[in-house]
């Protein structure tokens, strides 16, 4: 089996690349920079970006499956998210169509369920629409919730604080959050690969993915899990909405001034304070047999392997 993979230098893609190679899949991987993983019998690096149609043609050449895991997760304006997530996905999809690829997996996000919240969420929803309803390649859309695990830089600091006995909370106490370990996400992609040998799932999704914790985590529940794992108290540190919003505005202005890509923006503030990020694995489990294996408790207990690499 041969796969064209984007985003293989990122948090999720790097973990996925390792698993594909371990399973003997031939991978052609797009990269904008010198990759950490050397080229080998199973990896061929293709230099270029999602803006570069010729690079995408080289990437997809000779493969039957495209896994599109590249994306902008931070940015200082709508245009950045639109260029990378919407136009980049559309460009890759058109190349896959031209080259008669059998199937394409789009790594969207649960955020796409609420495009009104942020530039990121809107761009993920629009990317889904851009690649929707095609016979060839048949498209499957994954909408994972917040992903954590080895190599993660976003949730890692929060969970580190939790294990030291402090939990900054960014939204209403009754808000429902969800998480997914990166290895469970990778397992879901592998299940998709194995269960759709002749094309995509009959239902191409979008499929939501989380760790299976029923009803979602409240902030107090996360604190209780942290306390149980560390064997000591966890104090919650509620960040008032006004302060968090102010921080997001300042961060955005600074990032624009310094030409950086910020994570905390007013859009991310709205995502963080959204009251319901519960999701449902049922449709994907029925379609592929995938069931998440890693609970937050287990992962927190084994967090030494999380250190960002
Ligand atoms: N992390 C999460 O919690 C989460 C949750 C749901 C969905 N997702 C989705 O999963 C995907 C991967 O996320 P991640 O957390 O692994 O993000 P990440 O660590 O920031 O990795 C992003 C990847 O996309 C590549 N990329 C970005 N812009 C590109 C462009 N213009 N051309 C080519 N490649 C480009 C990056 O390449 P460089 O290394 O060159 O920058 C990197 O390989 C994204 O689509 C994201 O929306 C993530």
């Amino acid at each position: 089996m041969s796969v064209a993979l984007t985003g293989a230098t990122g948090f999720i893609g790097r973990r996925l690349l390792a698993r594909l190679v371990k399973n003997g899949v031939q991978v052609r991987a797009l990269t904008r920079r010198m990759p950490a993983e050397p080229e080998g019998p199973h990896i061929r690096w293709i230099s270029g970006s999602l803006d570069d149609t010729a690079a995408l043609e080289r990437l997809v050449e000779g493969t039957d499956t495209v896994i599109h895991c590249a994306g902008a997760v931070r940015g200082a304006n709508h245009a950045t998210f639109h260029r990378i997530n919407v136009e980049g996905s559309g460009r890759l999809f058109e190349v896959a169509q031209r080259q008669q690829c059998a199937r394409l997996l789009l790594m969207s996000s649960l955020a796409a369920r609420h495009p009104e919240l942020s530039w990121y969420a809107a761009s993920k929803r629009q990317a889904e629409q851009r690649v929707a309803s095609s016979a060839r390649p048949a498209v499957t859309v994954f909408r994972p919730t917040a992903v954590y695990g080895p190599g993660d830089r976003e949730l890692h600091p929060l969970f580190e604080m939790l294990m030291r006995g402090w939990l900054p909370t960014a939204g209403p106490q009754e808000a429902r959050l969800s998480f997914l370990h990166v290895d469970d996400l990778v397992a879901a992609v592998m299940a998709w690969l194995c269960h759709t040998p002749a094309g995509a799932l009959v239902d191409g999704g979008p499929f939501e993915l989380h760790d299976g914790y029923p009803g979602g985590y409240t902030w107090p529940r996360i604190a209780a899990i942290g306390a149980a794992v560390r064997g000591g108290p966890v104090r919650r540190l509620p960040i008032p909405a006004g302060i968090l919003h102010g921080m997001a505005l300042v961060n955005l202005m600074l990032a624009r001034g310094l030409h950086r890509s910020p994570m905390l923006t007013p859009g991310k503030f709205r995502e963080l304070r959204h009251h319901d990020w519960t999701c449902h694995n049922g449709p994907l489990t029925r379609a592929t047999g995938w069931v998440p294996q890693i609970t937050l408790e287990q992962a927190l207990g084994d967090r030494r392997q999380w250190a960002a690499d």
Side-chain angles (χ1 to χ4, degrees):
M1 189 190 297
S2 59
V3 165
L5 176 65
T6 68
T9 54
F11 158 49
I12 294 170
R14 202 177 313 167
R15 203 80 180 166
L16 176 58
L17 174 66
R19 180 70 186 276
L20 288 166
V21 167
K22 192 171 164 203
N23 284 32
V25 176
Q26 299 287 334
V27 184
R28 294 170 76 82
L30 188 71
T31 181
R32 302 190 291 182
R33 57 193 167 96
M34 187 65 83
E37 199 72 38
E39 215 165 82
H42 287 97
I43 308 178
R44 170 94 195 274
W45 288 102
I46 307 295
S47 196
S49 81
L50 291 170
D51 301 325
D52 180 350
T53 304
L56 298 181
E57 295 278 3
R58 288 197 301 280
L59 174 74
V60 172
E61 197 178 351
T63 63
D64 49 22
T65 300
V66 177
I67 301 178
H68 181 30
C69 199
V73 296
R74 51 188 83 76
N77 51 51
H78 167 266
T80 302
F81 287 104
H82 190 85
R83 179 177 62 77
I84 297 174
N85 292 347
V86 183
E87 291 173 12
S89 300
R91 197 171 288 114
L92 178 63
F93 174 67
E94 283 156 23
V95 167
Q97 271 187 322
R98 268 200 297 283
Q99 299 211 15
Q100 291 283 298
C101 277
R103 56 190 171 157
L104 182 150
L105 176 64
L106 173 69
M107 194 62 76
S108 182
S109 165
L110 190 62
R113 203 167 71 185
H114 294 288
E116 74 284 2
L117 291 178
S118 63
W119 296 319
Y120 171 69
S123 70
K124 297 304 274 188
R125 171 67 79 88
Q126 277 185 274
E128 291 180 359
Q129 290 162 345
R130 190 64 76 91
V131 304
S133 61
S134 156
R136 199 172 177 92
V139 174
T140 301
V141 173
F142 275 10
R143 281 185 178 175
T145 185
V147 183
Y148 69 93
D152 151 46
R153 290 180 175 80
E154 313 305 342
L155 283 172
H156 182 254
L158 179 78
F159 289 140
E160 273 300 306
M161 279 192 79
L162 178 64
M163 289 298 96
R164 294 202 179 103
W166 301 97
L167 180 64
T169 61
Q173 299 304 298
E174 66 285 2
R176 301 280 164 168
L177 311 170
S178 50
F179 302 107
L180 177 65
H181 193 281
V182 65
D183 288 346
D184 272 333
L185 177 54
V186 165
V189 175
M190 299 309 290
W192 172 81
L193 267 180
C194 297
H195 282 78
T196 61
L201 306 174
V202 176
D203 173 5
F207 293 103
E208 297 180 350
L209 298 89
H210 74 131
D211 66 6
Y213 187 79
Y217 298 89
T218 58
W219 288 106
R221 181 69 197 133
I222 296 169
I225 290 171
V229 173
R230 72 186 291 269
V234 169
R235 289 189 174 73
R236 281 183 268 146
L237 296 171
I239 309 174
I243 291 183
L244 189 61
H245 190 245
M247 285 163 60
L249 281 171
V250 170
N251 197 45
L252 176 60
M253 282 188 296
L254 279 175
R256 282 181 173 163
L258 297 169
H259 302 288
R260 293 279 170 83
S261 295
M263 179 51 86
L264 182 61
T265 60
K268 185 56 69 180
F269 163 81
R270 287 188 291 276
E271 287 181 25
L272 284 170
R273 290 192 54 84
H274 185 66
H275 66 282
D276 182 12
W277 287 118
T278 51
C279 54
H280 304 282
N281 291 329
L284 187 62
T285 297
R286 283 193 289 280
T288 66
W290 170 76
V291 177
Q293 302 293 323
I294 305 170
T295 65
L296 188 55
E297 284 96 327
Q298 288 166 344
L300 288 173
D302 200 16
R303 70 192 182 285
R304 272 167 304 179
Q305 51 156 299
W306 285 17
D309 53 12

